[in-house]
Amino acid sequence: MEAHGDVRVDDWYWLGDRDDPAVLAHLEAENAYSAEALAHTAQLQQQLFDEIRTRVVETDVSAPSRSGDWWYWTRTLEDHDYRSWWRRADPDRVLDATKVLADATAALGDATDPAALAGAGQLVLDENALAEGRDFLAVGVFDVSPDHRIVAYAFDDDGSERYQLRFRDIASGRDLPDEVADVSYGSAWSRDGGTFFYVRQDDAMRPFQVWAHDLGTDPAADRLVYEDPDERFFVSVGLTRSERFVLVHSGSKMTSEVLWVDAARPADAPVAVLPRRQGVEYDVDHAVVGGRDTWLVRTNDGGATEFALWAMPVGATDLADADEVLAHRPGVRLDSVDAFADHVVVAERSRALEQLRVLRVDHAGGRLVDDGHLVAQPDPVYSLSEGGNADFATPTLRFGYSSLVRPTSSIDYDIAARRATVVKVQPVRGYDPARYRSERLWAPAADGVEVPISLVAPVDHPPDGSAPLLLYGYGSYEITIDPVFSALRLNLLERGWAFAIAHVRGGGEMGRTWYEQGRLAAKPTTFSDFIACAEHLVGLGWTSPAGLVARGGSAGGLLMGAVANMRPDLFRAVVAEVPFVDVLTSMSDPSLPLTVTEWEEWGNPVDDAEAYRVMRAYSPYDNVTAQAYPAMWVTAGLNDPRVGYWEPAKWVCKLRTTRTDAGPTLLRVELGAGHQGPSGRHGAWRDEARTQAFMLDAVAAGG
């Protein structure tokens, strides 16, 4: 392969031809080889799997959330891989979440008790029944109509992320004749529930069209609502919480546009909220302020690097007609905005921590008021998540709270009283949080910038470097890796390991500037930040290179490949899951899925010689050299639409034949799955047990 005067030779290029029988045979041989290499850990793998099953309460009910006159929740049962969706009517609004949860939980205990059966509610959809006869199942769309009669659901049965759309009458449990093939994520109902909006992908796996289906009609007659011809832009669709507007969002890495359709007039053509301008990003939510329909516009327009919030009348198309609600604040990232009837919740991020700010809707004054209302959180390092807030008129906010030492809690926060009520805490058998401590550390990077690290360890973790530590990293797409609890991680913590997240640049933990400093030509900063975090942890005595394991997936797998090339001496083992390691070849091939859309993240090596040079210097596959490497555990998915299976397959071949030591280089390929790996929870737990066994074995062998 030749470009910009540079020649590369790829001895394993042939692995990209999945139609070649030799390719499948090779992947099957890799699986057999890895199974043999880990055969001596079979008992350990089973033990780790059993420990996961012992801790996880498999028969459980999620915290119910209200939508209209109904409460909705999910249920899981022991020995079942998937969840089922349930609901209970409450038209008089006499129930609260704790009562619904108690009744639904009681129904798990005795299926013969009439009272318990009443508490069980009404079945909406059982994913276990849907998975019968299938080796893989993922539900990508679950959307109940505004009148709560129909549920639209879409499933993928091979990991390709191309979904089959169905419509089910909830009362009868029977599917309607309407079936739509090959849809993507995103959905919205019209106000009367007669029209359903969905998204389609192009041949490059880019969501690029929004279609409308009228229930009871032939899907062949569905109408195209919107198409974005720009290959950089991804399209999605959704309904505002007020159920007044269908919003079509089209965005690239650096530019976005929102169009709207009145949900009561689904046949209308979509209208842009603000015109598209290169480099300007915005999204909107609908609020009613002083009786006036209002767009809440979160945007970086006008140099608002970390975004600002504006209120603009629906129908206006210029920010000159808007009122500024929250000005741009350097160092405070405005992540999201959620509108309700009497309040607006803004998620902000500062110093790698998220907080919730509540704005009051002053209906008499026709404005939004910032009273400095921040929702207090109990831990110094934590993570927040959206908890299911379908009701526009709710006086409470549901959110999820978790930390490295606290299992996820579902919280109902009374806005007026400023009081939090814990609805449910994720049950974990045998877990004692007092045995562990969580900390926020800051590692000095090569340029002097401090990089945050979130860490959890046993309280008696020795400070002499003798204990193992697993360091996780991602650092791309402005995605934030927040510190959340994992029952699966306890397998390692109970064996004396520590776990840490390196919040490296390229992610979104510290705002837009943090992201900009780790993308395009600055991408190598992501790798040097991760190395700085590893060195800092070693220097503080949390671990040593003999006990340090690095882990990352997808773009985080690129990070793993880069640091393994740059500092193989710093890590005992590396786990790279579905790793994006053949960066230069993939970004040079516009025919591959997602390549053109990714050029704003990585650069365009086809037309830009400098982008080619930067990418050439760090692309893990192109920079494998004759040196000793850590023990390597690599995964791939044959049906992966995001990272082609051939990237990790080729990389493993090159590593195995180039490395100068005898350490293991192992590849496991999911032959019936995609980017996310096995779909059932038991399959996912076995996969995790296998990975943990590899890490434990590698550290033991090196110690």
Side-chain angles (χ1 to χ4, degrees):
M1 296 172 288
E2 185 172 359
H4 304 292
D6 179 51
V7 177
R8 293 180 299 136
V9 176
D10 187 347
D11 292 329
W12 290 277
Y13 192 86
W14 63 276
L15 281 170
D17 183 6
R18 64 179 296 158
D19 294 327
D20 183 349
V23 171
L24 183 58
H26 174 85
L27 300 179
E28 290 173 338
E30 286 281 14
N31 282 351
Y33 176 71
S34 294
E36 182 179 345
L38 286 185
H40 66 284
T41 68
Q43 183 175 350
L44 175 59
Q45 290 181 43
Q46 185 62 46
Q47 180 182 349
L48 293 165
F49 175 78
D50 291 342
E51 289 176 10
I52 292 172
R53 290 203 67 176
T54 297
R55 290 191 197 92
V56 175
V57 178
E58 295 191 50
T59 299
D60 199 15
V61 174
S62 68
S65 59
R66 177 183 284 282
S67 177
D69 291 340
W70 296 85
W71 290 93
Y72 286 83
W73 67 91
T74 60
R75 186 176 81 175
T76 55
L77 298 176
E78 189 171 357
D79 297 325
H80 288 63
D81 270 322
Y82 304 96
R83 60 190 169 180
S84 56
W85 301 75
W86 295 76
R87 71 177 185 180
R88 181 177 177 181
D90 182 25
D92 297 326
R93 296 182 176 254
V94 297
L95 301 174
D96 61 19
T98 55
K99 169 61 175 172
V100 177
L101 176 63
D103 290 346
T105 302
L108 297 173
D110 186 358
T112 64
D113 181 1
L117 288 173
Q122 181 182 28
L123 177 65
V124 178
L125 182 71
D126 185 358
E127 294 181 9
N128 296 285
L130 195 60
E132 288 182 5
R134 295 183 168 97
D135 294 329
F136 182 95
L137 180 81
V139 173
V141 172
F142 180 91
D143 196 347
V144 177
S145 60
D147 59 10
H148 297 270
R149 293 189 307 107
I150 306 294
V151 59
Y153 68 96
F155 64 91
D156 162 26
D157 59 9
D158 64 4
S160 64
E161 299 184 47
R162 291 187 179 274
Y163 294 86
Q164 311 302 310
L165 177 62
R166 304 285 187 271
F167 299 89
R168 177 164 296 184
D169 178 83
I170 300 175
S172 68
R174 292 193 296 268
D175 284 351
L176 304 180
D178 314 51
E179 296 184 1
V180 184
D182 202 16
V183 307
S184 186
Y185 306 101
S187 65
W189 286 95
S190 63
R191 189 179 298 182
D192 65 2
T195 301
F196 187 76
F197 296 84
Y198 61 91
V199 177
R200 285 197 187 278
Q201 298 173 331
D202 62 14
D203 292 338
M205 294 296 296
R206 177 178 71 95
F208 78 124
Q209 294 176 331
V210 174
W211 289 75
H213 173 72
D214 295 326
L215 287 187
T217 66
D218 185 348
D222 288 358
R223 64 184 181 277
L224 178 63
V225 176
Y226 176 78
E227 177 177 340
D228 197 321
D230 193 323
E231 293 180 280
R232 300 172 301 160
F233 283 73
F234 278 39
V235 173
S236 62
V237 66
L239 186 67
T240 60
R241 182 176 287 105
S242 64
E243 299 184 348
R244 286 285 313 281
F245 298 99
V246 174
L247 298 181
V248 176
H249 184 276
S250 188
S252 71
K253 305 298 183 197
M254 293 288 106
T255 306
S256 60
E257 181 181 25
V258 180
L259 302 95
W260 62 274
V261 175
D262 189 326
R265 301 171 58 88
D268 286 359
V271 178
V273 175
L274 295 170
R276 180 181 302 186
R277 290 161 51 207
Q278 178 63 32
V280 174
E281 297 174 75
Y282 75 92
D283 52 49
V284 305
D285 199 1
H286 170 245
V288 180
V289 182
R292 183 177 66 175
D293 285 323
T294 302
W295 294 130
L296 300 183
V297 183
R298 187 189 71 99
T299 182
N300 67 348
D301 197 10
T305 306
E306 304 299 348
F307 290 74
L309 179 62
W310 298 77
M312 185 175 77
V314 169
T317 57
D318 194 320
L319 278 185
D321 299 319
D323 296 321
E324 189 176 60
V325 178
L326 290 176
H328 174 251
R329 291 161 290 167
V332 181
R333 165 74 174 191
L334 187 58
D335 274 348
S336 66
V337 178
D338 284 300
F340 298 85
D342 297 315
H343 59 274
V344 172
V345 178
V346 177
E348 305 174 348
R349 187 174 296 275
S350 178
R351 296 284 289 174
L353 282 178
E354 190 174 33
Q355 62 183 6
L356 301 176
R357 179 180 299 273
V358 180
L359 308 179
R360 176 170 49 88
V361 179
D362 178 4
H363 291 291
R367 63 194 182 107
L368 298 179
V369 180
D370 180 10
D371 296 319
H373 183 172
L374 298 176
V375 182
Q377 307 299 342
D379 292 312
V381 180
Y382 58 85
S383 175
L384 304 178
S385 59
E386 205 279 333
N389 295 283
D391 257 17
F392 186 61
T394 180
T396 62
L397 172 70
R398 168 71 58 81
F399 65 91
Y401 179 90
S402 179
S403 75
L404 291 174
V405 295
R406 289 181 187 247
T408 301
S409 299
S410 294
I411 310 254
D412 275 356
Y413 182 74
D414 186 309
I415 299 293
R418 302 195 180 192
R419 181 178 62 248
T421 300
V422 177
V423 177
K424 180 180 175 66
V425 179
Q426 172 192 356
V428 183
R429 293 192 187 96
Y431 174 64
D432 179 5
R435 295 176 56 191
Y436 305 99
R437 55 178 168 146
S438 176
E439 296 189 24
R440 168 59 55 82
L441 307 174
W442 297 85
D447 58 0
V449 171
E450 289 191 317
V451 181
I453 302 172
S454 298
L455 181 140
V456 60
V459 292
D460 58 353
H461 191 86
D464 58 3
S466 62
L469 184 146
L470 174 60
L471 180 61
Y472 184 87
Y474 188 78
S476 292
Y477 301 112
E478 205 172 2
I479 290 175
T480 294
I481 305 298
D482 278 324
V484 298
F485 181 84
S486 169
L488 281 62
R489 189 184 301 136
L490 293 177
N491 280 356
L492 299 178
L493 295 179
E494 289 190 349
R495 287 170 169 81
W497 286 52
F499 171 80
I501 304 169
H503 301 288
V504 296
R505 279 174 281 186
E509 287 87 345
M510 300 275 282
R512 173 53 59 87
T513 301
W514 198 251
Y515 169 53
E516 294 286 0
Q517 292 176 355
R519 64 183 282 265
L520 297 175
K523 190 63 204 172
T525 304
T526 302
F527 318 138
S528 59
D529 277 0
F530 190 85
I531 290 171
C533 290
E535 291 176 331
H536 189 63
L537 291 166
V538 170
L540 292 176
W542 285 102
T543 190
S544 69
L548 181 56
V549 178
R551 185 174 186 177
S554 195
L558 159 65
L559 170 60
M560 296 300 100
V563 300
N565 285 333
M566 296 167 65
R567 287 295 309 275
D569 60 303
L570 192 53
F571 308 97
R572 173 57 197 161
V574 169
V575 175
E577 295 163 299
V578 291
F580 179 42
V581 285
D582 195 11
V583 184
L584 186 53
T585 302
S586 292
M587 288 296 98
S588 298
D589 187 353
S591 70
L592 288 176
L594 309 182
T595 289
V596 174
T597 64
E598 297 284 281
W599 280 345
E600 288 188 341
E601 176 76 19
W602 310 102
N604 178 357
V606 177
D607 301 324
D608 186 340
E610 179 61 16
Y612 180 95
R613 184 194 65 78
V614 172
M615 216 172 287
R616 179 72 165 86
Y618 72 70
S619 177
Y621 183 62
D622 292 294
N623 288 280
V624 173
T625 59
Q627 61 181 344
Y629 276 88
M632 307 293 293
W633 177 252
V634 185
T635 68
L638 183 60
N639 300 325
D640 191 339
R642 300 176 184 270
V643 176
Y645 69 87
W646 56 87
E647 293 201 29
K650 289 164 46 175
W651 183 48
V652 162
C653 288
K654 192 169 186 178
L655 279 167
R656 192 181 291 131
T657 58
T658 306
R659 65 186 301 166
T660 58
D661 64 309
T665 308
L666 305 177
L667 172 67
R668 177 174 172 80
V669 184
E670 291 293 340
L671 298 175
H675 198 64
Q676 306 300 331
S679 61
R681 59 177 176 172
H682 295 96
W685 294 344
R686 287 207 177 274
D687 193 55
E688 178 63 18
R690 186 184 300 111
T691 300
Q692 291 180 358
F694 167 82
M695 294 188 290
L696 290 164
D697 184 63
V699 169

